[in-house]
Amino acid sequence: MYNSIIKGTGYYVPENIVTNDDLSKIMDTSDEWIQERTGIQQRHFATKGKDTTTNMGVRAAEMAIAKANINKEDIDFLIFATLSPDYYFPGCGVLAQKELGLNTIGALDIRNQCSGFVYALSVADQFIKTGMYKNILVIASETQSPALDLTTRGRNMAVLFGDGAGAVILSRTEEVGKGILSSHLHSEGAYAEELAIITPGVGKKWVTELIKENNPEDISYFPHMNGQFVFKNAVVRFSEVIVEGLKHNNLTEKEIDLFIPHQANLRISQFIQQKFKLSDEKVFNNIQKYGNTTAASIAIALAEAVEQKRIKENDLVLLAAFGSGFTWGSVVIRW
Ligand code: UT7
């Protein structure tokens, strides 16, 4: 069995910055409300005709490939996590493969929302551990802004989300005790509708029905969240899956060097930080700048943490996510 290490990281966010004050001009909200409840100060929104989920992911991937110091020809599999694909089908994996000019390697799409990057890393790790692949490109990218209801009606969701992409190159190592030590994945479909976009889809209403009905009261094609219920579940599941990851490796919270949580809400991250008694320098947050970028959030944060030299050789890095599905998971890495 081999191990997998993160050899290179990259990220990309669109140029267009939208502040809380910008949002308060188009809906009944305020910088104070948004910062107090979520910690978010601004987010980046994609520009139509310029940024797509695929091309942002490709820009992040190009940075990760350069940092890993490998050739594109060395990549033997591609995994793309997103809930906001450019097309209903095919997925962004094949589009990224085309844009990057990769040969006919396999391209797999992951749709596990906020846990997408953690799921993608775990899948990639299994392929490397078994010896099937040597270098896997994992991309997580989201263009969520076009799907938001940017009016007072949609303010509970609209102020939370942003666009952007992160990527890593996961590579085979024969060093023991290095790289991804374990990953733990969970889901609870009983709560699928608590954080979701329900239509268009074949389950409730297809796009042709929406057009035919042309009902301005129908908001089923906007994202919906039962915020407090999601919050309560998030803090419980985050904690459980962190403990699971640590226990599996006979580690304690004291040994964590850097915790990178999915950037859902600064209050959730602070709750976890307090619960596990982690000092400020042991927790990485960037939700203030980017909002919640769903699958991309941990990938962007990891790339920024590397860029800011917050991670050293042999550090114990813990990633944890929770989100729509519900899905949640953790990855324990010895850097
Ligand atoms: O990434 C996936 C995982 N996501 C999460 O884990 C998010 C979990 N949930 C949360 O973080 C929080 O529930 C939110 C930040 C989304 C909302 O905070 P909350 O404290 O749960 O607020 P609320 O939804 O209960 O709303 C409180 C009040 C309401 O007004 P009333 O009924 O008290 O008069 C809302 O209408 O705040 C109002 N409100 C707003 N006011 C100003 C809701 N959104 C806004 C807004 N600006 N943007």
Side-chain angles (χ1 to χ4, degrees):
M1 285 276 266
Y2 301 103
N3 280 331
S4 42
I5 49 161
I6 292 176
K7 217 176 192 176
T9 54
Y11 69 103
Y12 176 84
V13 287
E15 263 174 349
N16 178 28
I17 294 174
V18 177
T19 65
N20 294 344
D21 286 337
D22 292 334
L23 291 180
S24 69
K25 288 181 193 127
I26 55 173
M27 65 183 78
D28 181 12
T29 189
S30 66
D31 179 49
E32 194 193 358
W33 190 96
I34 301 169
Q35 285 212 50
E36 195 185 297
R37 309 270 175 146
T38 71
I40 298 167
Q41 296 167 10
Q42 60 170 55
R43 72 288 290 142
H44 293 241
F45 276 5
T47 301
K48 197 168 173 59
K50 182 168 175 276
D51 304 301
T52 66
T53 299
T54 301
N55 75 25
M56 289 194 295
V58 164
R59 287 173 197 147
E62 280 166 343
M63 182 174 166
I65 295 165
K67 297 273 182 200
N69 205 14
I70 61 166
N71 296 316
K72 283 181 187 173
E73 297 70 41
D74 298 327
I75 298 170
D76 37 27
F77 197 60
L78 163 57
I79 303 182
F80 201 120
T82 187
L83 64 57
S84 49
D86 293 326
Y87 302 150
Y88 197 87
F89 75 84
C92 290
V94 295
L95 303 179
Q97 182 243 350
K98 181 181 75 172
E99 269 196 46
L100 281 162
L102 302 176
N103 61 24
T104 56
I105 57 166
L108 172 71
D109 292 277
I110 299 254
R111 30 175 324 165
N112 285 77
Q113 300 69 249
C114 304
S115 313
F117 182 66
V118 160
Y119 267 73
L121 264 190
S122 178
V123 171
D125 181 41
Q126 311 314 312
F127 277 127
I128 286 181
K129 282 208 165 87
T130 58
M132 184 155 172
Y133 296 125
K134 280 188 182 156
N135 295 298
I136 300 182
L137 170 59
V138 176
I139 302 176
S141 178
E142 301 286 5
T143 313
Q144 308 182 104
S145 54
L148 299 170
D149 178 2
L150 292 168
T151 68
T152 299
R153 184 178 67 178
R155 65 182 179 176
N156 64 326
M157 291 297 274
V159 302
L160 303 175
F161 295 95
D163 303 332
V168 301
I169 295 287
L170 202 70
S171 298
R172 177 195 287 184
T173 181
E174 292 185 25
E175 266 191 87
V176 180
K178 271 270 176 172
I180 296 184
L181 302 182
S182 69
S183 54
H184 303 271
L185 307 177
H186 296 278
S187 65
E188 194 169 25
Y191 301 128
E193 282 82 21
E194 302 295 340
L195 173 49
I197 294 184
I198 302 296
T199 70
V202 290
K204 295 270 191 238
K205 209 177 277 183
W206 186 237
V207 68
T208 44
E209 290 172 84
L210 284 169
I211 294 168
K212 204 163 107 198
E213 288 171 16
N214 191 23
N215 174 10
E217 304 302 318
D218 183 352
I219 53 166
S220 62
Y221 49 85
F222 287 122
H224 150 85
M225 173 165 66
N226 185 351
Q228 292 190 8
F229 184 71
V230 174
F231 193 107
K232 280 180 199 147
N233 277 268
V235 292
V236 172
R237 298 309 194 181
F238 260 110
S239 304
E240 283 175 6
V241 85
I242 290 168
V243 170
E244 187 180 8
L246 291 172
K247 267 198 174 155
H248 182 87
N249 295 288
N250 289 322
L251 294 162
T252 67
E253 55 258 45
K254 290 197 181 69
E255 289 163 277
I256 298 170
D257 292 299
L258 193 66
F259 170 50
I260 306 182
H262 163 54
Q263 306 288 299
N265 185 326
L266 192 61
R267 307 298 157 233
I268 295 177
S269 302
Q270 287 168 337
F271 179 91
I272 302 297
Q273 175 176 357
Q274 279 164 16
K275 181 160 184 186
F276 290 95
K277 299 191 176 62
L278 301 172
S279 59
D280 286 350
E281 57 285 1
K282 290 190 169 185
V283 183
F284 194 89
N285 292 305
N286 62 7
I287 191 171
Q288 300 90 331
K289 292 190 289 182
Y290 302 129
N292 180 349
T293 57
T294 303
S297 95
I298 295 180
I300 297 172
L302 182 63
E304 281 201 335
V306 170
E307 192 173 60
Q308 294 170 19
K309 302 200 178 356
R310 295 273 301 269
I311 307 177
K312 304 182 302 299
E313 177 95 30
N314 280 322
D315 271 0
L316 188 75
V317 179
L318 177 70
L319 316 178
F322 175 88
S324 162
F326 293 150
T327 58
W328 63 100
S330 65
V331 177
V332 183
I333 306 168
R334 179 64 71 188
W335 204 263

